[in-house]
């Protein structure tokens, strides 16, 4: 009991601060996309033949993508966090004007990311899977991210 209370004193202020600041919400979602990008930075050069295929590295990156695909990031896009509201974000206001389209594109990205684990075992299957995920990234960036 005492331990739980002690733990809560540490956890709750951090959680409360997180919910309060739009800037911190933006940082959190950028961190998520950085994590995605870091996995693609391993897989894409292999798929493009710019880096030797390394099965262990590919598997780790693909597993990470599978885990990231399970994260629902829609709570990290509250109203008031577009690039019209805040500095240091490229999130266009159209995200909130066409929310269903945005969510559909997020889902397509998650679907492609979750397929990577099954595809990362060989270069033959990795290539198309990376192409599909890269395409899903691009489709969303084209419409919803400032250049
Ligand atoms: C990647 C990556 C992206 C997408 C995008 C596709 O590997 O980090 O953001 O693909 O470049 O156009």
């Amino acid at each position: 009991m005492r331990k739980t209370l002690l733990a809560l004193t540490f956890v709750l202020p951090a959680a409360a601060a997180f919910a309060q600041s739009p800037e911190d919400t933006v940082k959190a979602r950028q961190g998520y996309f950085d994590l995605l990008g870091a996995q693609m930075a391993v897989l894409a050069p292999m798929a493009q033949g710019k880096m030797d295929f390394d099965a262990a590295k590919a598997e780790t990156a693909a597993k990470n993508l599978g885990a990231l695909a399970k994260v629902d990031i829609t709570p990290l896009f509250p109203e008031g966090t577009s690039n019209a509201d805040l500095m240091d974000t490229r999130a266009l206001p159209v995200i909130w004007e066409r929310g269903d389209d945005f969510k559909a594109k997020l889902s397509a990205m998650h679907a492609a990311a979750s397929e990577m684990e099954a595809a990362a075992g060989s270069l033959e299957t990795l290539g198309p899977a990376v192409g599909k995920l890269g395409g899903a990234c691009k489709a969303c960036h084209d419409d919803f991210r400032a250049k």
Side-chain angles (χ1 to χ4, degrees), residues 117-143:
E117 217 173 322
S122 83
L123 202 47
E124 288 68 35
T125 46
L126 181 65
V130 166
K132 184 172 174 182
L133 179 54
C137 296
K138 185 177 185 307
C140 202
H141 293 165
D142 284 350
D143 287 0

Side-chain angles (χ1 to χ4, degrees), residues 43-58:
L43 297 174
M46 286 187 205
Q48 293 160 2
K50 293 177 185 163
M51 193 191 281
D52 286 343
F53 180 70
D54 180 322
K57 281 187 184 162

Side-chain angles (χ1 to χ4, degrees), residues 68-81:
L68 290 167
K70 295 196 176 84
V71 181
D72 180 357
I73 59 164
T74 55
L76 298 179
F77 285 88
E79 297 256 6
T81 60

Side-chain angles (χ1 to χ4, degrees), residues 67-132:
L68 290 167
K70 295 196 176 84
V71 181
D72 180 357
I73 59 164
T74 55
L76 298 179
F77 285 88
E79 297 256 6
T81 60
S82 79
N83 71 343
D85 306 302
L86 300 169
M87 312 260 288
D88 300 327
T89 174
R90 284 188 283 170
L92 291 170
V94 70
I95 288 172
W96 292 269
E97 290 153 21
R98 293 187 2 231
D100 287 349
D101 187 16
F102 178 69
K103 281 174 195 160
K105 288 194 160 79
L106 270 184
S107 294
M109 180 274 281
H110 278 175
S114 67
E115 288 167 20
M116 197 64 76
E117 217 173 322
S122 83
L123 202 47
E124 288 68 35
T125 46
L126 181 65
V130 166
K132 184 172 174 182

